Amino acid sequence: MLELLQLKHLHVGPVDLRVERGSCAAIEGRSGTGKSVLLRMIADLDPHEGDAALDGERCSRMPAPRWRRRVTYVAAAAGWWHDTVGEHFEDLEALRALLPRVGLPVEAAGWQIARLSTGERQRIALLRAMTPDNRVLLLDEPTSGLDGESTALVEGLLRQRCAEGGTLLVVTHDPRQSGRLAQQRYLLVDGRLREAR
């Protein structure tokens, strides 16, 4: 279970939230309300007050790299530090098995990052975050650059992730996506979470 305990930074918070293991919570809200800031606080990437905990283990009592392997932020525009897709993955066989699940050919493992479209980068960044250590995915607009068919494939993979015990916190501007994926739905308004109706 992911717990947010009075998490606060700048104009966001304090936020308290519990997301059970194997479930998805979605956060909607207008641009600029702090949805990405909230995800970055949870990932311990931005300074903040309060704390987050995973199955009772507090972020503040864990080395940052260990926390981020377990609770992983996937930005809408992810960073890349190698020239090819495959260089970003420890297990190339696992990558090749997952690529078709998000509508990409197995050959994409050898592609140059520079040739990737926005949507291809989004899908590969998601796959990069899905490591054996990862328990929570913090997804910032994970399908914003995708067509309908690719969105359906990604959502199918995310539903499977939950079925296998993973936890998702998804920021989206699409209330239909929230309805398809999430058991808990929230709006971020004036820095506070409100249950969506």
Side-chain angles (χ1 to χ4, degrees), residues 8-26:
K8 181 178 181 180
H9 176 59
L10 299 174
H11 61 290
V12 179
V15 173
D16 289 295
L17 178 66
R18 293 175 68 159
V19 186
E20 296 294 331
R21 184 172 185 237
S23 67
C24 174

Side-chain angles (χ1 to χ4, degrees), residues 67-89:
W67 176 263
R68 291 178 194 141
R69 280 193 302 273
R70 293 178 176 190
V71 179
T72 307
Y73 174 60
V74 183
W80 305 93
W81 47 90
H82 296 297
D83 292 334
T84 66
V85 169
E87 290 176 286
H88 291 87
F89 291 81

Side-chain angles (χ1 to χ4, degrees), residues 3-197:
E3 293 179 272
L4 309 186
L5 310 162
Q6 292 288 296
L7 215 57
K8 181 178 181 180
H9 176 59
L10 299 174
H11 61 290
V12 179
V15 173
D16 289 295
L17 178 66
R18 293 175 68 159
V19 186
E20 296 294 331
R21 184 172 185 237
S23 67
C24 174
I27 300 174
E28 302 169 43
R30 297 180 61 168
S31 296
T33 58
K35 300 180 302 296
S36 298
V37 170
L38 177 58
L39 293 186
R40 290 181 57 81
M41 282 193 291
I42 298 167
D44 200 28
L45 293 168
D46 285 355
H48 57 82
E49 297 174 29
D51 212 345
L54 180 61
D55 297 330
E57 283 192 82
R58 289 187 178 230
C59 171
S60 60
R61 297 185 184 140
M62 190 181 299
R66 183 171 166 222
W67 176 263
R68 291 178 194 141
R69 280 193 302 273
R70 293 178 176 190
V71 179
T72 307
Y73 174 60
V74 183
W80 305 93
W81 47 90
H82 296 297
D83 292 334
T84 66
V85 169
E87 290 176 286
H88 291 87
F89 291 81
E90 289 184 15
D91 187 341
L92 284 179
E93 289 309 310
L95 169 62
R96 289 185 182 106
L98 285 172
L99 284 166
R101 299 282 315 276
V102 294
L104 293 169
V106 172
E107 297 77 30
W111 288 356
Q112 294 285 316
I113 295 297
R115 73 153 278 182
L116 299 178
S117 71
T118 299
E120 289 167 340
R121 287 177 189 231
Q122 280 187 305
R123 286 175 278 173
I124 290 169
L126 172 63
L127 298 182
R128 183 177 65 187
M130 295 174 65
T131 66
D133 289 340
N134 175 262
R135 309 255 296 283
V136 179
L137 289 172
L138 307 171
L139 304 173
D140 197 349
E141 295 287 343
T143 60
S144 61
L146 303 184
D147 58 76
E149 182 179 340
S150 297
T151 294
L153 288 171
V154 167
E155 288 179 0
L157 185 64
L158 295 176
R159 277 191 288 276
Q160 180 184 342
R161 186 76 171 187
C162 284
E164 294 170 349
T167 302
L168 306 177
L169 186 56
V170 179
V171 161
T172 180
H173 285 291
D174 185 353
R176 295 166 302 173
Q177 183 168 70
S178 294
R180 292 189 299 264
L181 287 177
Q183 292 77 42
Q184 300 166 247
R185 297 175 64 184
Y186 300 94
L187 297 174
L188 188 62
V189 180
D190 296 328
R192 300 295 185 97
L193 282 185
R194 300 180 186 169
E195 286 192 47
R197 300 181 194 275

